[in-house]
Amino acid sequence: MIVTIENQNFQAIIDSVGAQLIHLYEKQEDFDYIWNNESWNKHAPVLFPAIGRSNQDKYLLNNKEYKMPQHGFIANQEFKIITHTKNTVTFAVSENTETYKLYPFAFNLMITFVLLSSGLSISFSVKNNTTIQMPFSLGSHPAFNVPLDGKGKFDDYFLEFDGDFQLPLESYEIIKNPVPYRTGKAEFFSENKKIKLSYKLFEKGLRIISNSNVKKVKLFSVYSDHFVIINLEDFANICLWTKETENLAFMCIEPFNGLPDVIGNSC
């Protein structure tokens, strides 16, 4: 089911499959912040209960082996609508027979979208309905159009990082084998908090910032009055990605609680 919420400034359209945001329209100037193109046929998938790729697409839990798809399984699940007003909607999903084969826990995941005068707030609630510890990762994978409103080019935009962290910015070293895994090492990313976008920056693929205490990331350009700010107060990691070697007009800014596996490690 496709659900719409709106206020005076914005309209958000969300798919109940995966509770995925598919459009965020700025109504006054009539443009969409969110990427929509078959060159990468996703928009802003939710990642749960895994982030990235598990070694050999499986993991060990209490000495038993389970399969786990890249970024988990929640993006393919049909969510129920719990509440829906003009400017808010809450979705929820729980375990089922198929998810239990991959992830042997009874859980409830709720995602609430609220349109504010300044933008969109998205909140997540994970409930463990078992009596044992339930490990999980949680993230969001929004792809923003760059340029945001058709003004300027990809490399006219900047990312600016805010928070109480030490420079330089570093990112986890990633190898593709042929899919992304961490090596367990960090590498230099930038000596400044403000970074000029370029496709060359992402030739090696995704960049997961390893510095702790990054609290906000801003995407902006001098050619546009519009910008995106991602608030990371409740997320430990931020991932940056655009589709390497294809020079597509989007930038993913992804809040993560959790990380891809280190290659060769069993966990």
Side-chain angles (χ1 to χ4, degrees):
M1 178 183 293
I2 302 300
V3 178
T4 299
I5 57 175
E6 62 183 307
N7 62 14
Q8 184 176 354
N9 298 326
F10 301 99
Q11 182 187 72
I13 299 176
I14 305 113
D15 191 341
S16 61
V17 176
Q20 178 177 202
L21 176 68
I22 54 179
H23 297 285
L24 178 60
Y25 291 111
E26 206 283 353
K27 293 169 68 173
Q28 305 303 315
E29 296 192 25
D30 191 27
F31 69 88
D32 191 353
Y33 282 96
I34 301 298
W35 169 260
N36 279 265
N37 188 290
E38 287 302 314
S39 302
W40 187 65
N41 62 358
K42 299 177 183 178
H43 316 283
V46 176
L47 318 179
F48 177 89
I51 285 175
R53 204 72 174 255
S54 301
N55 277 300
Q56 300 178 358
D57 294 323
K58 57 190 178 182
Y59 69 101
L60 290 175
L61 179 68
N62 297 326
N63 295 317
K64 184 176 179 180
E65 191 173 272
Y66 295 87
K67 294 182 179 179
M68 180 58 65
Q70 184 176 17
H71 293 323
F73 51 74
I74 215 69
N76 297 321
Q77 298 298 308
E78 179 72 44
F79 281 67
K80 295 180 180 179
I81 298 171
I82 304 302
T83 61
H84 184 199
T85 69
K86 183 175 180 179
N87 70 316
T88 70
V89 62
T90 296
F91 297 92
V93 69
S94 298
E95 79 287 345
N96 57 49
T97 303
E98 292 305 310
T99 67
Y100 209 83
K101 294 176 184 176
L102 303 172
Y103 184 65
F105 297 97
F107 69 90
N108 180 260
L109 170 62
M110 296 182 65
I111 304 175
T112 298
F113 298 81
V114 180
L115 278 175
L116 309 171
S117 60
S118 57
L120 178 65
S121 168
I122 306 175
S123 59
F124 302 86
S125 172
V126 180
K127 184 178 180 182
N128 178 6
N129 291 323
T130 70
T131 58
I132 59 175
Q133 187 176 24
M134 186 182 82
F136 67 90
S137 295
L138 176 68
S140 181
H141 198 317
F144 298 100
N145 288 317
V146 180
L148 291 174
D149 53 359
K151 296 176 182 177
K153 307 183 300 296
F154 185 88
D155 55 6
D156 291 323
Y157 279 73
F158 292 84
L159 292 172
E160 188 167 29
F161 299 80
D162 186 29
D164 184 21
F165 59 90
Q166 291 186 336
L167 291 171
L169 280 169
E170 295 185 329
S171 63
Y172 291 106
E173 184 181 57
I174 301 291
I175 59 172
K176 303 183 84 172
N177 192 36
V179 295
Y181 290 101
R182 290 183 298 136
T183 66
K185 302 176 183 178
E187 59 184 1
F188 175 83
F189 184 58
S190 174
E191 62 185 11
N192 300 308
K193 291 188 174 183
K194 181 179 175 182
I195 299 171
K196 182 177 172 59
L197 283 187
S198 70
Y199 290 114
K200 185 176 182 180
L201 196 62
F202 300 97
E203 283 180 346
K204 294 171 64 176
L206 59 89
R207 311 298 293 266
I208 304 173
I209 303 303
S210 59
N211 302 63
S212 58
N213 295 318
V214 177
K215 298 303 182 184
K216 292 182 182 179
V217 180
K218 182 178 181 180
L219 171 67
F220 68 100
S221 171
V222 297
Y223 294 99
S224 175
D225 293 330
H226 300 278
F227 53 86
V228 171
I229 294 177
I230 302 291
N231 190 323
L232 303 170
E233 289 293 335
D234 296 321
F235 288 88
N237 305 102
I238 185 72
C239 177
L240 310 171
W241 179 73
T242 190
K243 201 169 183 181
E244 53 270 25
T245 74
E246 296 195 24
N247 293 4
L248 298 179
F250 74 81
M251 182 77 243
C252 290
I253 306 174
E254 309 169 40
F256 283 178
N257 272 329
L259 293 168
D261 277 357
V262 172
I263 191 167
N265 283 8
S266 296
C267 58

